[in-house]
Amino acid sequence: MKVIVVGCTHAGTAAVEQILKKHPETDVTVYERDDNIAFLSCGIALYLGRIVNNLEDMFYADPTTLEGFGAKVHMKHNVLKIDSKNKKIVVQDLQTQEIFEDTYDKLIMTTGSEVGIPPIGGMNNPRVLLCKSYAQAKQIYDSALNYPSIAIVGAGYVGVELAESYANTVHDVTLIQSRDQILNNYVDDGLSQEIIQKLKDHDVKVHLDERVAEIVDGEQLTIKTKKGDAYKADLVIVCTGFFANTDLLRGQVQMDGYGAIIINDYMQTSDPDIYAGGDSCVVKFNPTGELKYIPLASTAVRQGTLAGINVFGNIRKYMGTQATTAMEIFGYTLAETGLTLKKALANGINADCVVYHDNYRPNYMPTTDMLTIYLIYDKDSRRVLGAQLFSKHEVAQSANAISICIQNENTIDDLAFVDMLFQPNYDNPFNYLNLVAQQAIAKEDGA
């Protein structure tokens, strides 16, 4: 069988490795238009903040890795057209400009995502940069060395991480967000306010409800908002989200309204010979059961691996995702999974939330740290829907535990009394996840 993999991001790399590990006789050909693969863009902030010294360390594989498995890897080759009816593609070698055709039995679409370019005047200014790829990260790093003040447009994960990185490297940082809170896809307003305060404590200027209209050139750039306000900076980094890179299959497979490819439980598109994974396709979001576009590296690796398994038949189902994520900000860990209360209510769920705020382990220990947990649940079914955790204590693995609860449709009653270890170094006789669930039970039962 001949398999062509279009685009070699996280999902593509995982698919190739899976195919050739289990079926080394398979003819696997990779076409990638860039000169690198498997770049961890989530590590860009670590590099910009001087925590990681070499951006090249963010590559966990390279073309020789895949060639070692037996794949034919064609870098700097751009796929111009996919003809799904005749199972062939048209490719251009970007170095020689040669154009040629290739054929496949099965095709795996792992073309990833691209940075969304918002309708802002002045985006073509060389001091207005985007942030996702290796080349963009290098450009940001080199540019920021020469500019003391930086404005970041967009306060999702990328924007907040960049704000922290530049605050830690003694830059003057302005963070501009079009919504009424930061991290609106991940946390509720109360926790947003707490993180904003941490940013302000480190001299980051945060502006909410400010949609940027235009960036005007000058000795300094002027960022004008639709409200009529203006902010100055030497460099602007725009982080307003991503979109699926799927134009090659438009009109040939089913897509959602945002252009993300719709897949079934086996990573198969509406064309049975085309599979997709990663940022090019939707995910099944378990807290609501709906198909959504949530581009995450963790999801991409899982979907790519499953595409590599299921290209040989319907072997292993995709479990869906809770979109579990975490970040470190000024020594604190923020971890979240599932729905926020705001998003649960917007989905028509009769949801509620309790907030736990206490030390993570007994006060008699030499040290301890305060922990905040937001637990979101369905009042009717009592199912756990989501959680947000924030502490100097490492709470990322606790978000993973809540993710499993959501995946398994556990209730607050399950979480309140599920067996968890007790050892004073780590927690109280009831773990803090037990305690926040017990708080929810008390709220619902009126105890």
Side-chain angles (χ1 to χ4, degrees):
M1 183 168 71
K2 182 174 181 180
V3 179
I4 286 180
V5 178
V6 181
C8 207
T9 52
H10 306 303
T13 300
V16 172
E17 291 187 1
Q18 179 62 42
I19 290 169
L20 293 173
K21 183 169 62 176
K22 292 290 187 180
H23 301 275
E25 74 286 356
T26 309
D27 181 354
V28 177
T29 301
V30 176
Y31 290 106
E32 168 56 54
R33 66 184 179 186
D34 211 335
D35 60 359
N36 61 78
I37 66 170
F39 176 65
L40 289 167
S41 57
C42 55
I44 291 175
L46 298 175
Y47 173 66
L48 299 178
R50 317 291 200 270
I51 296 170
V52 172
N53 292 325
N54 298 307
L55 189 59
E56 289 70 25
D57 292 341
M58 294 298 106
F59 292 106
Y60 61 88
D62 58 37
T64 60
T65 306
L66 301 185
E67 289 170 347
F69 283 102
K72 301 169 188 171
V73 183
H74 300 281
M75 303 301 295
K76 296 193 75 64
H77 279 66
N78 187 32
V79 176
L80 302 176
K81 181 181 179 182
I82 296 174
D83 179 356
S84 59
K85 183 178 180 180
N86 296 300
K87 299 173 76 168
K88 67 181 182 180
I89 66 173
V90 179
V91 186
Q92 182 176 30
D93 183 329
L94 296 177
Q95 294 174 306
T96 67
Q97 305 307 311
E98 175 193 4
I99 296 176
F100 60 92
E101 292 185 352
D102 201 353
T103 59
Y104 62 86
D105 297 309
K106 302 288 184 182
L107 183 141
I108 301 178
M109 187 77 165
T110 52
T111 44
S113 60
E114 295 184 2
V115 179
I117 301 177
I120 296 173
M123 284 293 297
N124 59 345
N125 191 298
R127 286 188 285 161
V128 177
L129 306 178
L130 305 175
C131 183
K132 185 177 192 291
S133 69
Y134 169 73
Q136 288 167 345
K138 289 288 288 184
Q139 187 180 12
I140 290 171
Y141 180 85
D142 293 340
S143 299
L145 292 175
N146 302 316
Y147 296 120
S149 65
I150 297 174
I152 298 162
V153 178
Y157 254 61
V158 176
V160 172
E161 286 183 324
L162 290 181
E164 187 226 19
S165 294
Y166 283 123
N168 286 333
T169 52
V170 203
H171 284 80
D172 180 46
V173 183
T174 301
L175 181 62
I176 304 170
Q177 168 73 327
S178 62
R179 306 294 186 96
D180 61 357
Q181 67 166 90
I182 66 170
L183 299 169
N184 52 283
N185 287 327
Y186 307 99
V187 303
D188 282 298
D189 184 62
L191 198 48
S192 167
Q193 291 300 323
E194 193 168 343
I195 297 167
I196 286 172
Q197 189 57 54
K198 295 288 184 290
L199 290 163
K200 289 181 176 178
D201 289 344
H202 290 80
D203 299 319
V204 176
K205 294 179 282 292
V206 181
H207 301 283
L208 303 178
D209 277 322
E210 291 276 17
R211 187 172 295 277
V212 175
E214 184 182 13
I215 301 171
V216 180
D217 199 9
E219 184 176 346
Q220 279 192 307
L221 298 175
T222 302
I223 304 104
K224 295 184 176 181
T225 72
K226 291 189 176 181
K227 280 186 175 180
D229 294 322
Y231 306 101
K232 297 283 189 177
D234 300 311
L235 186 71
V236 176
I237 305 172
V238 177
C239 314
T240 52
F242 307 105
F243 66 91
N245 181 17
T246 57
D247 284 348
L248 287 168
L249 286 177
R250 195 171 297 279
Q252 301 186 76
V253 300
Q254 290 182 358
M255 298 181 183
D256 71 2
Y258 298 96
I261 298 168
I262 295 174
I263 53 173
N264 64 15
D265 288 341
Y266 298 97
M267 314 311 302
Q268 196 172 36
T269 71
S270 56
D271 183 320
D273 294 318
I274 298 179
Y275 293 73
D279 289 7
S280 62
C281 65
V282 298
V283 300
K284 178 187 175 186
F285 187 53
N286 289 322
T288 61
E290 62 184 331
L291 297 178
K292 295 188 67 176
Y293 185 61
I294 307 175
L296 291 171
S298 54
T299 299
V301 171
R302 285 160 179 75
Q303 288 186 331
T305 300
L306 288 168
I309 292 171
N310 292 317
V311 75
F312 297 98
N314 294 346
I315 298 168
R316 187 177 296 278
K317 280 189 174 184
Y318 173 48
M319 296 174 69
T321 181
Q322 286 69 251
T324 308
T325 59
M327 68 184 294
E328 184 176 298
I329 179 164
F330 302 120
Y332 287 77
T333 294
L334 168 67
E336 65 82 30
T337 185
L339 285 167
T340 64
L341 177 61
K342 184 181 290 186
K343 289 190 175 295
L345 295 173
N347 274 274
I349 300 171
N350 183 23
D352 205 348
C353 172
V354 289
V355 181
Y356 176 86
H357 191 68
D358 204 347
N359 290 322
Y360 80 94
R361 65 179 185 177
N363 293 332
Y364 57 73
M365 295 300 291
T367 62
T368 188
D369 286 312
M370 191 59 67
L371 165 66
T372 299
I373 306 174
Y374 284 61
L375 182 69
I376 295 88
Y377 59 93
D378 185 324
K379 290 171 65 67
D380 298 328
S381 67
R382 298 170 76 98
R383 279 178 50 193
V384 175
L385 298 175
Q388 303 144 45
L389 303 96
F390 189 64
S391 179
K392 283 187 175 180
H393 177 57
E394 199 285 297
V395 290
Q397 297 310 314
S398 294
N400 282 335
I402 298 293
S403 176
I404 295 169
C405 288
I406 301 170
Q407 178 84 55
N408 293 336
E409 300 186 357
N410 290 126
T411 65
I412 55 176
D413 307 275
D414 297 327
L415 180 59
F417 293 97
V418 68
D419 181 37
M420 293 188 178
L421 69 84
F422 164 56
Q423 214 288 336
N425 282 297
Y426 307 109
D427 60 0
N428 288 289
F430 272 115
N431 182 272
Y432 42 82
L433 296 183
N434 297 135
L435 292 171
V436 70
Q438 290 172 20
Q439 192 174 330
I441 290 174
K443 186 174 184 179
E444 288 307 300
D445 295 349

